[in-house]
């Protein structure tokens, strides 16, 4: 069984390459799923959800060179 890692907002923002205000506006507008709340200050997203979201916003013309 593989456990889905928890991703905090700061890491999610870095992966999307956006700032805090834009990120939370996207959450508010429904462009990014609502987080899972542990408490008022403790929130997270599952890594599988984050991967799906990052793929949606990744530029289509990115070429990655493998060595």
């Amino acid at each position: 069984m593989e456990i889905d890692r928890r991703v905090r907002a700061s890491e999610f923002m870095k992966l999307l390459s956006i700032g805090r205000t834009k990120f939370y506006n996207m959450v508010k507008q429904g462009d990014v799923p609502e987080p899972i709340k542990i408490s008022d200050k403790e929130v997270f997203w599952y890594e599988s959800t984050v991967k799906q979201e990052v793929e949606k916003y990744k530029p289509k013309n990115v070429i990655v060179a493998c060595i």
Side-chain angles (χ1 to χ4, degrees):
M1 178 173 91
E2 190 172 320
I3 297 175
D4 208 358
R5 188 174 74 85
R6 295 176 177 185
V7 176
R8 301 289 181 186
S10 59
E11 184 178 356
F12 201 167
M13 287 182 253
K14 286 179 189 176
L15 291 169
L16 290 172
S17 299
I18 59 175
R20 182 180 181 87
T21 302
K22 183 170 182 171
F23 178 76
Y24 282 107
N25 282 337
M26 290 175 72
V27 172
K28 190 175 184 179
Q29 294 170 355
D31 296 330
V32 171
E34 289 283 329
I36 297 168
K37 294 184 178 185
I38 298 171
S39 69
D40 287 341
K41 294 184 179 186
E42 293 282 331
V43 299
F44 70 91
W45 292 260
Y46 285 113
E47 185 177 38
S48 57
T49 303
V50 172
K51 285 180 180 179
Q52 290 174 347
E53 293 302 311
V54 170
E55 286 297 317
K56 284 192 332 190
Y57 292 101
K58 185 170 72 173
K60 305 289 185 228
N61 58 354
V62 172
I63 299 172
V64 178
C66 296
I67 299 175

